[in-house]
Amino acid sequence: MILGVLGGRKTDDEVTRVSCALAKLNNEKLKMVFVITIDRKLPIDKEVRESTAIAENSLQNMEMLAKELRVKQSGEIIQARFQGSAVVQQIDEIGATTVVIGLPQRKPYDQGKVSESINYFLRSFLLPSGHSKRDSLTFSTSPSSASL
């Protein structure tokens, strides 16, 4: 299973293209998720209309692109306190072997810095965990599309 993580950014298009290419190449299913981060001051099930509209639009655009590329996929909007843990939970639930994440382009002085969510992914999957699904997990980051 391939998991594509959308964020309502310019990189969503490339995340979808890379995810679709990997799904076709490896004859795997594709799931796209958009995580809406909910502030701790709000109930977790509180609908944040603006964020929900962005997520729905992003998923709809990516579904159309996947259809053009002739790849069947499913999409889901997830509300969580923290994007990193929500994606890790999705990876475990669906048994994803590959995760494609879009990283925003950084300014030159930001070299070496990554988001808190990416740090969470790396700590969760690149350190010995004893979890068999994680032994073969591949990350592909976009726009550079480099595998870790």
Side-chain angles (χ1 to χ4, degrees), residues 8-34:
R9 296 183 297 269
K10 293 178 184 178
T11 57
D12 285 357
D13 185 71
E14 189 168 354
V15 166
T16 303
R17 290 180 186 281
V18 170
S19 298
C20 287
L22 290 170
K24 271 184 159 178
L25 180 68
N26 297 308
N27 197 27
E28 290 196 55
K29 294 180 180 179
L30 171 60
K31 181 170 185 177
M32 305 296 278
V33 296
F34 190 111

Side-chain angles (χ1 to χ4, degrees), residues 11 103-107 110 143:
T11 57
L103 298 176
Q105 289 190 330
R106 301 281 184 181
K107 296 177 177 146
D110 282 342

